[in-house]
Amino acid sequence: MYKNQEGYRDPTAGKAISDAYKVSKHTKDALKALHDIASLLGFELVEIRDKKTGRTFRCSQKQ
């Protein structure tokens, strides 16, 4: 549960922060496809960056 600076529960801010860190289905699908292709070619996918938003996604080892 997210708490504000004074220590009170703040579910609205907590939900907003949580939603900001979620990865969209589109991005998850792209990561999986890229990981599979890289693995077939003997490469390891470490991270990718969204050109539109500038957000960087680190690729997990458990696929």
Side-chain angles (χ1 to χ4, degrees):
M1 172 86 39
Y2 179 79
K3 294 185 179 184
N4 63 15
Q5 289 179 338
E6 289 82 26
Y8 295 104
R9 294 186 319 170
D10 192 349
T12 304
K15 177 149 175 44
I17 292 169
S18 174
D19 289 346
Y21 284 106
K22 287 187 180 173
V23 179
S24 68
K25 180 171 177 6
H26 163 77
T27 304
K28 285 181 186 177
D29 293 344
L31 281 172
K32 175 144 178 42
L34 290 170
H35 179 268
D36 292 345
I37 292 168
S39 292
L40 287 172
L41 298 172
F43 292 98
E44 177 185 8
L45 190 62
V46 178
E47 71 179 24
I48 64 169
R49 185 176 58 86
D50 186 336
K51 289 170 71 174
K52 184 177 177 183
T53 64
R55 187 172 174 191
T56 300
F57 298 95
R58 305 240 346 122
C59 302
S60 65
Q61 299 301 318
K62 56 170 191 167
Q63 291 279 338

